Amino acid sequence: MGGETHTKPSGSSYPKLATGPVGQQIHSIYKDRLGQFTSGGQYESQYLLGAMYEGRASGPDHVKLSVYSPPGLTRPTFEEATSHEFKPTKVGESFGPSWSTHWFKVQLTVPSALQDKEQLELHWDANNEGLVWTEDGEPVQGLTGGGERVEWVLPKPFRDGKEHTIYIEMACNKMFGNAPGGDSIQPPQPDKYFQLHTADIVAVNQEARALFVDFWIIGDAAREFPGDSWESHEALQVGNGIMDAFIAGHGSQDSILKGREIARKYIGPAVDSPEVYETDKEPIVYAIGHCHIDTCWLWPWAETKRKIARSWSNQCDLMDRYPEHRFTCSQAQQYKWLEQLYPILYDRVKAKVKKGTFQPIGGSWVEHDTNMPSGESLVRQFLYGQRFFESHFGERCTTFWLPDTFGYSSQLPQLCRLAGMSRFFTQKLSWNNINNFPHTTFNWVSLDGSQVLCHMTPAETYTAEAHFGDVKRSVSQHKSLDQDNTSLLVFGKGDGGGGPTFQHIEKLRRCRGISDKIGLLPRVKMGDSVDDFFARLEKKAAEGTKFVTWYGELYFELHRGTYTTQANNKWNNRKSEIMLHDVEYLATMATIKDSSYRYPKKDIDDMWENVLLCQFHDCLPGSSIEMCYDDSDALYAEVFKTGQRVLKGALATLGFSMDYEGKGDLTAINTLPWPRAEIMKLPEGGRLKDSGYALVKGGQGIARVQVLSDSSESTASVKKIKDGVFLLTNKHFKVTVDGGCITSLIDLQADREVVAKGGKASQLVIFDDKPLYWQAWDVEVYHLESREVLPPGTTEIAEHGPHKVSVVTETKISANSWVKTTISLSASIGSQPAYVEMESEVEWRENMKFLKVEFPVDITNTEASYETQYGIIRRPTHYNTSWDMAKFEVCCHKWADLSEFGYGVSILNDSKYGFATCGNMMRLSLLRAPKAPDAHADMGRHHIRYAILPHVGPLDSRTVRAAYDFNHPMKFYEKKTSDASSLFTAISLHGSSSLILDAVKRGEDDEDVSRDELPKRKGRSIILRIYESLGGTSRGTVRINKSVVNVKKVWKTNILEDDELELVIKGDEVEIELRPFEVVTYRLQL
């Protein structure tokens, strides 16, 4: 009693004695160990790769090969190729040269030992691209080569032990062309050969393949989650546990299944099906499959057409295997090629579109450059693109998709809204090499105030590999989390094509599994569309979320050299746009004059489609291989040939001949909507004599030609002051040319010197041009430090007047290159704005040099103005900030201007797009000489026109109109019939001089014009495109000459020509008002 104690035995299972030392895991070593499990090298056979395949059959008993090699670089169709004799071949043979095609007949016999295996695949690899065809001629899947997408799943019927035939079309190029070595942007090697090294029937261990992806993502989690996080530590333990189980089970199937069981502790139980996405947890990353196929780049257009078939057939196959897969693809041109060349595959794609898994997007003809095409070209990209998507798939696009172009024009938001698109997706500004663009999701606002909702994927790529890191960066690099935390993840093999792979989809399933099971990783979802994503953003905006705004251009701080590279291509673009303007205007007038005249809609469509194709973002900018420019030269030649034929027909209907034979009156036609007066060189032949010049003067339509004689009063003169120094004068200017440069330009009416003190205008300068990497694309800021003045040669008088005077100077650039520049001054014409014109003929044979022409002007302003599509953009002339300095080279169209209060100077050009204004130095970029990817870019002869236009007062319509005049020279015709001047006054624009009537055409769906793409519209109509060019609210009237044309109604429409608002016709006028830089389309119902 009292004092006794009772001790209870301990219930702990913790051992009393230590069994031995246990060390702390060295994480860096165990992380590095993970790489052994799924890698090749010395341990490949010991780990998972050694268990990936359950059997393999090869050789002629199982894979019998024969080949047909078409002649040269031809690309025959399936029907053509299979009609030829096939000769026996075997693995180990090589095929070429570069860009050639070889068709293989592949006769497959599955051995009995493999017939019951879960998955059988043909593995084919020749390190080049290919396309699998059925024996019946259906393209079923693309092959990439080089270990990427080399497998084709054998159909179940092939397991019967009988011989089954397929065909493989081999393209002798890799996904990124045929560059030598490892640098893909170098000019292609013409004599590459490709060895067929694999052609096997393979039985795949599906559980081993699944474990491979499990382990891949778990390993990424171990490496990429924060090192001090539980989630990273747990991933490391799970990964090492899988390896330990595999080793303990000696790599058996049971050990693989055990590994998958261990993996599920981290990735969850549902990763083998789309059910992984069917949870009540809200995703914030929306994954969409994509295949960015450059319409031309490191391969010619003909190869692009095959890349489309290879890539899109892959996606149709993946959609059948993965129900959650959604694939989006832009570029109406590519769909049209597929329809023309691969109708069976097109039908398959169309069925997937109807189902909602294959999703057309973008609304444009191609993924075009937006810096250099004219405003009307941008309109037509949308008009032709949206009409194609609507006519073929029943819907227009609501999202403009342009992930990979080199800067974004300030008027794109307005044009998108006018084309029915309120959303915009891109990512290219992530490539900026000076400043980091600050937004992910934002409102992008156009010059006129229109806006689109823009999203730039925070993963910063449109070709994501669907890695763990891509999902993680979708939040960690998101810059708009204050307003919204969601983002698009755009994944799939791109540029060269291919699109998403099964591995991509499998990885995303596991990423979602980790998010739901472990957390920390942003939750990803597949199965939605891009439109679904933007609809949620728009809903948030409607509910009050205020997304940040960005006004004006999205300037790309890289690839500035693309404003200049491939000058001939850019010349063709400008001239074809001008020709199409004239073709449509004159053909429209012809339909008013003669109802039996058939508006040449097909020809016009063909011309536009070719021009729009050549505006692709690697073609027009000059960043493709030489073969692409051979292609574009041929297309432009066809455009000009067709345009000349159409013009001839329209003019004949209007009573004019393009050929002057001296049998009728000589006249000219002004296709611009304002009066003009020019001194023009007369055509040779006929009855023309005297000075060889004429004063051509008139409003819109017919211009009167007054032949000038030598006895006319001299209004332009030139005299030699001393050796190398000349004085050119007219009533406006006194121009001193010394050493081939303008050392003085006195505006006589303003009594003002235009050239900066001590400066030389029209000075040719050359720069060393070696960017960090992207030769055809880039010019870097340091090139400015290598400025070298080209020494002048001899200057001589070329024309003495009295109607035009000029001096010519030849400048030696190097042993192989020269410039011959003619500086001209025409006689003054009343109050018509006057300019000093220069024309340079250049023989260009340089290596990595940049030729520019300088104009130091006596003007001070911190901003310069540049013409852009349908407006003006102002950019700094200083380097105050890194954002200012980044714009050391910018894009302009027909003019650039530097003005101060009361006075300014404009520089006009006829085919150039690169410009820079630094302080008071204005520089027009002329020619570059990059050697990659086209070793011969810009080599050869060039003709370039440019001019100095001084003006009293601010920048105004004088510059805008003079630049149009400079680019739209009037042409002489012979008038065959009675006066048709009233016809050209059928419809005219009056009022504010800032209003520009930029296009006159027929309605797309008029019953006498329609090509039956969309429902016809009764009657006939005329389309007018008018824009405000100077940045102020402007009023005007559209005047209708009722004696020529009967207009019943006038509608304000969008650029797709949908009627939106009926306007009142008061007498013979329709009053209009445009806000600053607004673009408006009117439809006049006849």
Side-chain angles (χ1 to χ4, degrees), residues 901-918:
F901 177 75
Y903 201 82
V905 178
S906 301
I907 305 298
L908 316 181
N909 76 83
D910 79 330
S911 60
K912 295 297 162 186
Y913 296 93
F915 208 94
T917 306
C918 183

Side-chain angles (χ1 to χ4, degrees), residues 379-666:
V379 166
R380 300 308 173 95
Q381 287 285 354
F382 292 140
L383 178 68
Y384 280 85
Q386 289 285 50
R387 287 178 63 82
F388 183 92
F389 289 124
E390 184 179 7
S391 62
H392 286 71
F393 305 117
E395 290 185 356
R396 294 172 179 173
C397 301
T398 60
T399 301
F400 183 35
W401 182 272
L402 198 60
D404 185 35
T405 200
F406 312 145
Y408 303 89
S409 163
S410 53
Q411 287 286 47
L412 279 176
Q414 179 180 187
L415 298 181
C416 284
R417 298 309 296 260
L418 291 171
M421 293 181 286
S422 58
R423 304 125 176 211
F424 176 50
F425 173 84
T426 187
Q427 67 82 46
K428 198 65 176 183
L429 296 195
S430 67
W431 284 39
N432 280 4
N433 73 342
I434 296 180
N435 296 288
N436 188 13
F437 189 77
H439 309 305
T440 292
T441 303
F442 59 97
N443 296 310
W444 181 25
V445 185
S446 196
L447 291 179
D448 78 314
S450 300
Q451 66 178 2
V452 291
L453 189 54
C454 180
H455 180 73
M456 297 186 183
T457 172
E460 297 188 347
T461 179
Y462 51 88
T463 60
E465 292 284 347
H467 289 320
F468 177 98
D470 292 320
V471 177
K472 180 170 171 281
R473 285 186 290 274
S474 295
V475 166
S476 66
Q477 295 181 170
H478 200 301
K479 301 166 188 170
S480 302
L481 294 173
D482 291 347
Q483 292 82 40
D484 183 77
N485 63 355
T486 65
S487 64
L488 280 174
L489 175 61
V490 182
F491 69 94
K493 305 286 183 180
D495 295 319
T501 65
F502 77 87
Q503 293 98 328
H504 292 153
I505 301 172
E506 294 284 358
K507 284 189 287 181
L508 288 172
R509 285 180 174 180
R510 285 150 179 83
C511 286
R512 175 56 183 265
I514 288 175
S515 302
D516 288 343
K517 180 76 175 176
I518 301 297
L520 196 58
L521 185 67
R523 190 168 286 109
V524 68
K525 182 179 188 294
M526 288 188 67
D528 282 6
S529 68
V530 174
D531 286 340
D532 292 334
F533 172 79
F534 274 106
R536 284 187 289 270
L537 292 177
E538 289 183 347
K539 185 173 184 288
K540 287 194 71 170
E543 292 172 349
T545 298
K546 294 187 180 300
F547 291 103
V548 298
T549 55
W550 184 273
Y551 283 79
E553 71 174 331
L554 294 172
Y555 178 82
F556 183 40
E557 297 179 2
L558 202 67
H559 294 2
R560 304 168 185 88
T562 59
Y563 312 144
T564 304
T565 309
Q566 298 288 0
N568 182 60
N569 203 52
K570 292 170 168 60
W571 188 95
N572 282 334
N573 176 70
R574 181 82 62 86
K575 302 311 175 188
S576 62
E577 290 174 334
I578 291 166
M579 172 175 270
L580 275 159
H581 170 277
D582 291 354
V583 162
E584 292 185 324
Y585 172 65
L586 293 173
T588 300
M589 294 299 103
T591 63
I592 294 174
K593 182 176 187 291
D594 185 350
S595 60
S596 67
Y597 171 80
R598 178 94 177 157
Y599 189 76
K601 185 67 165 63
K602 183 182 183 303
D603 288 328
I604 290 172
D605 286 348
D606 290 345
M607 291 174 68
W608 266 118
E609 287 180 13
N610 284 340
V611 171
L612 299 177
L613 171 57
C614 291
Q615 289 171 349
F616 178 73
H617 68 253
D618 275 309
C619 184
L620 181 56
S623 48
S624 291
I625 62 172
E626 187 172 7
M627 295 173 78
C628 297
Y629 296 105
D630 294 337
D631 290 342
S632 65
D633 285 349
L635 280 189
Y636 279 124
E638 189 62 32
V639 168
F640 295 133
K641 180 181 177 182
T642 301
Q644 284 295 104
R645 175 172 53 78
V646 171
L647 282 172
K648 187 173 183 178
L651 288 164
T653 299
L654 294 169
F656 301 92
S657 171
M658 298 177 73
D659 303 315
Y660 183 69
E661 300 171 346
K663 297 177 182 178
D665 293 336
L666 182 68

Side-chain angles (χ1 to χ4, degrees), residues 1 23 86 159 256 266 357 401 410 447 476 531 557 566 603 625 659 666 704 797 931 980 1042-1043 1074 1082:
M1 300 210 26
F86 282 70
R159 296 167 178 261
I256 291 170
Y266 199 83
T357 51
W401 182 272
S410 53
L447 291 179
S476 66
D531 286 340
E557 297 179 2
Q566 298 288 0
D603 288 328
I625 62 172
D659 303 315
L666 182 68
R704 188 170 65 90
I797 296 174
K931 299 305 171 187
K1042 292 185 175 180
S1043 66
L1074 276 67
Y1082 299 99

Side-chain angles (χ1 to χ4, degrees), residues 989-992 995 1034-1038 1069-1074:
L989 176 64
H990 302 267
S992 172
L995 296 178
S1034 298
R1035 294 188 179 95
T1037 59
V1038 174
E1069 292 184 342
V1070 177
E1071 296 178 353
I1072 62 173
E1073 180 176 304
L1074 276 67

Side-chain angles (χ1 to χ4, degrees), residues 318-345:
L318 284 176
M319 289 168 197
D320 292 337
R321 293 156 59 188
Y322 293 91
E324 72 268 34
H325 183 39
R326 301 293 181 269
F327 176 74
T328 196
C329 211
S330 63
Q331 307 196 75
Q333 173 69 85
Q334 295 189 3
Y335 288 88
K336 182 173 181 177
W337 279 337
L338 191 75
E339 182 183 25
Q340 291 172 333
L341 301 174
Y342 301 90
I344 297 174
L345 179 54

